[in-house]
Amino acid sequence: VYSASEKGSIPRTLGSQDQGTVLRIASDEDCDLINNTLPDLEERAMEECHSLINMLHLPLECLDVEATFDQSAVKVFYSVTNGRSVGRDSSTVTRLQRELAVKLRLRVTLEQCGPTHAEEEIASMTMPSPAPVTVTMRANNGIAPSATSMLAPPAVAPTLMTS
């Protein structure tokens, strides 16, 4: 979001072509909507979603909520807690969607984030441990066996001398 004071520095296109173009400069009301109103709406929708899931004893977990800029709809991202897949036309999902729409007075879309999606996110957050250097790798990269021993930590830890 660019404010009116940044008018001269706004690029006509943002990133690649599929990200879109600048339609207009954000007014102060737009900035207030994006920074205050939409997060409040998303928080309220998240709270309602959690309370409905608990009240209806559904095997679902509400992960995130995104509200549209015009405040006419919200998108709820959920996962199944018992590990099995729940279809979009499932009675549990349909009931949650209807109840949320009535409580929030908005159009509600539900999108399931399966366990594979969650596992991918967790895997992307951790750094893999480096693979050990093999003799073949040393030979292919021109590293002498003695050069790798310089990279290894000392066998004996240094001791501190106190006076």
Side-chain angles (χ1 to χ4, degrees), residues 23-96:
L23 300 176
R24 64 182 173 88
I25 296 172
S27 65
D28 291 336
E29 292 83 20
D30 293 336
C31 293
D32 183 55
L33 175 78
I34 291 168
N35 296 325
N36 299 321
T37 308
L38 289 181
D40 291 343
L41 176 62
E42 291 168 351
E43 184 179 339
R44 186 173 66 108
M46 186 77 114
E47 289 171 0
E48 288 292 336
C49 187
H50 284 298
S51 67
L52 281 171
I53 287 173
N54 290 332
M55 184 182 77
L56 299 171
H57 303 289
L58 300 175
L60 305 175
E61 180 183 359
C62 185
L63 302 174
D64 192 22
V65 176
E66 290 181 2
T68 57
F69 186 74
D70 62 356
Q71 303 176 53
S72 66
V74 293
K75 188 175 212 175
V76 177
F77 298 91
Y78 70 95
S79 69
V80 181
T81 55
N82 59 5
R84 61 186 173 91
S85 180
V86 175
R88 232 179 54 169
D89 299 327
S90 171
S91 61
T92 58
V93 175
T94 305
R95 184 166 183 197
L96 177 63

Side-chain angles (χ1 to χ4, degrees), residues 116-132:
T116 56
H117 178 73
E119 289 170 3
E120 287 174 3
E121 291 216 6
I122 290 170
S124 69
M125 287 187 241
T126 59
M127 294 287 293
S129 59

Side-chain angles (χ1 to χ4, degrees), residues 105-120:
R105 296 181 176 216
L106 298 170
R107 189 175 72 241
V108 176
T109 307
L110 297 175
E111 184 173 325
Q112 182 177 357
C113 297
T116 56
H117 178 73
E119 289 170 3
E120 287 174 3

